[in-house]
Amino acid sequence: MTEPSRLLAEHHLELELDYGQFILHGGEGEEDVELALLDAAHANRPSAGDGHTVVVLSPHQNNFEMPIHVQVWDQRPADEDDWQQVSEARLHIGEHGLNISSPVDGWADAPVPPGDYLAEIAGTGFVNYGWPGDTTPADRWRIRLWPDDGTAPRPARQWDMPGYGVPANS
């Protein structure tokens, strides 16, 4: 029988999201890869990574007070189906921890221990693809990290907006 996974650390952050994307930086790897990863994320939604950086597409164009909960686990945690968009990627975290940023001026840091992780990036509370409209976006995100045990990342799930559907890969 497998022992249940244990939550080792949790960090509550707020990010100033703009341009419908945010980026997870592990602190190492090649510089200036974000544009290539953004193209890759649009080609195979909703995210793309190179092992050191992950670009995540958000259904909302902006949310200037977007909550992100970062969790570090000892192994893959139990699945939860109440998230509208979910993707996974490998992510190496260096000595400075995890940095999450968005174009313009948004960034937040989480003191995640160095190591190789599998990251699950999940979002919910979306109101519209693109501009959220007159409503304040209520989306929230969770990033769960656990040691990379070599298993393949699971297939992504995108938000299926009522009356619109899912954006096509470009």
Side-chain angles (χ1 to χ4, degrees):
M1 182 169 171
T2 305
E3 291 290 320
S5 54
R6 290 179 327 165
L7 180 63
L8 303 175
E10 186 167 21
H11 309 284
H12 300 277
L13 310 174
E14 187 174 282
L15 183 68
E16 210 173 295
L17 173 81
D18 205 357
Y19 293 98
Q21 62 187 285
F22 61 95
I23 305 161
L24 309 180
H25 303 274
E28 297 179 2
E30 294 184 37
E31 293 183 23
D32 300 325
V33 298
E34 288 90 357
L35 288 179
L37 290 175
L38 179 61
D39 288 342
H42 280 287
N44 191 21
R45 292 174 182 268
S47 66
D50 68 356
H52 297 278
T53 303
V54 180
V55 172
V56 180
L57 302 178
S58 170
H60 288 158
Q61 179 177 332
N62 60 16
N63 182 347
F64 299 126
E65 296 176 352
M66 186 177 79
I68 301 177
H69 296 212
V70 177
Q71 299 176 337
V72 181
W73 293 80
D74 66 343
Q75 63 183 346
R76 179 184 285 278
D79 290 335
E80 295 178 1
D81 290 332
D82 57 342
W83 295 88
Q84 295 170 313
Q85 177 176 300
V86 181
S87 62
E88 292 185 356
R90 287 190 159 73
L91 186 61
H92 176 78
I93 305 285
E95 65 183 72
H96 298 292
L98 176 66
N99 173 268
I100 306 168
S101 67
S102 183
V104 187
D105 289 327
W107 79 89
D109 294 312
V112 174
D116 292 319
Y117 293 92
L118 203 53
E120 176 197 72
I121 305 105
T124 194
F126 307 122
V127 295
N128 193 20
Y129 271 103
W131 191 262
D134 293 333
T135 345
T136 301
D139 58 315
R140 61 188 171 86
W141 292 82
R142 180 190 65 198
I143 298 167
R144 297 195 296 181
L145 302 157
W146 59 90
D148 186 353
D149 63 1
T151 58
R154 293 181 177 170
R157 177 174 68 232
Q158 289 188 85
W159 177 47
D160 188 352
M161 180 180 154
Y164 176 82
V166 175
N169 291 327
S170 58

